[in-house]
Amino acid sequence: MSSHRIDALSPGTFTLDDQEIEFGPGDTIMQAVIRAGGYIPHLCWHEGLHAHGSCRLCTVKVNGRMGAACTVMASTGQIVESNTEELNAQRRTLLQMLFVEGNHFCPSCEKSGNCRLQATAYEAGMTDPHFEEFYPRRPVDASHPDLLLDLNRCILCELCVRVSHELDGKDVFAVAGHGIETHLVVNSPTGLLGDSTIAATDHAASVCPVGALLPKRRGFAVPIGQRRFDLKPVSQSEEGAL
């Protein structure tokens, strides 16, 4: 067994932007930082799920080498850099690409103020989309009695895919296609959400970080200005396990 693997199975400390962070056995850098009350930008990571590493917003430098904080195991003596101009500039570019790839018009979205994409863009200082917008025309699926699926807002984080598989045991969602044609699909005879086995009480029904999967008949129950990221920026909001 390598010394790196032994370190990963033992508690210890590493530094994040010159701050000492304690980690426990089997922790990734992201898990240790979140537990310590710190912040590394992310969209596809959630406590309680296996790490995916797809959004790349959590990319940090570990001993001078790039790696995803959600997948790199914490190890004693690591020097981790996150809040640097180089990394923050890369994150702003990734966020700009996400905003133009789909239709993310925040003022008309029920998720505004609770949207992690929106809040992360604010935190990163993203003031404009920069790139030309695609304005794709994707289907809106209102076939389910309790849930609305708007694929125009999907960022392909695959949280719903993983939660449906790992926690709900239903495999309601999957991702299909390649490149620009990559898209979310529903596992049902018709491909419609209403013909799937998802229920409004499933974990997958509430995990979406944007406005792609929303409950019906609950619009604006919490007024704009009083929502999670209206009250605290994303860097100060606690993560919760599902």
Side-chain angles (χ1 to χ4, degrees), residues 40-43 55-59 91-92 94-95 98 120:
I40 295 176
H42 61 274
L43 291 171
C55 77
R56 311 311 292 182
L57 278 182
C58 74
T59 296
R91 290 165 181 152
R92 281 191 292 272
L94 285 171
L95 289 163
L98 283 171
T120 304

Side-chain angles (χ1 to χ4, degrees), residues 115-132:
C115 175
R116 180 166 287 276
L117 176 64
Q118 177 193 51
T120 304
Y122 276 129
E123 184 76 26
M126 197 202 95
T127 57
D128 61 74
H130 184 72
F131 301 105
E132 183 178 352

Side-chain angles (χ1 to χ4, degrees), residues 5 30 48 51 68 73 88 114 120 141-144 154 183 207 221 233 241:
R5 179 61 178 163
M30 178 71 80
M73 303 302 296
N88 288 333
N114 284 324
T120 304
D141 182 352
S143 61
H144 195 281
C154 178
H183 60 286
V207 75

Side-chain angles (χ1 to χ4, degrees), residues 179-194:
I180 195 63
E181 301 298 327
T182 304
H183 60 286
L184 189 72
V185 293
V186 174
N187 179 18
S188 74
T190 61
L192 294 175
L193 199 64

Side-chain angles (χ1 to χ4, degrees), residues 86-107:
E86 176 191 11
L87 290 168
N88 288 333
Q90 291 179 9
R91 290 165 181 152
R92 281 191 292 272
T93 299
L94 285 171
L95 289 163
Q96 288 164 335
M97 292 170 69
L98 283 171
F99 267 89
V100 303
E101 192 273 337
N103 290 339
H104 299 284
F105 188 65
C106 298

Side-chain angles (χ1 to χ4, degrees), residues 22-113:
E22 294 184 358
F23 67 87
D27 277 350
T28 61
I29 290 173
M30 178 71 80
Q31 288 173 315
V33 169
I34 295 296
R35 189 179 301 116
Y39 173 69
I40 295 176
H42 61 274
L43 291 171
C44 72
W45 178 85
H46 203 298
E47 184 67 58
L49 297 178
H50 287 96
H52 199 243
S54 61
C55 77
R56 311 311 292 182
L57 278 182
C58 74
T59 296
V60 294
K61 274 191 176 180
V62 184
N63 297 335
R65 300 181 65 179
M66 296 290 194
C70 68
T71 60
V72 176
M73 303 302 296
S75 182
T76 298
Q78 286 172 325
I79 299 174
V80 182
E81 300 171 76
S82 176
N83 189 21
T84 68
E85 182 50 41
E86 176 191 11
L87 290 168
N88 288 333
Q90 291 179 9
R91 290 165 181 152
R92 281 191 292 272
T93 299
L94 285 171
L95 289 163
Q96 288 164 335
M97 292 170 69
L98 283 171
F99 267 89
V100 303
E101 192 273 337
N103 290 339
H104 299 284
F105 188 65
C106 298
S108 66
C109 182
E110 155 61 17
K111 195 78 172 187
S112 182

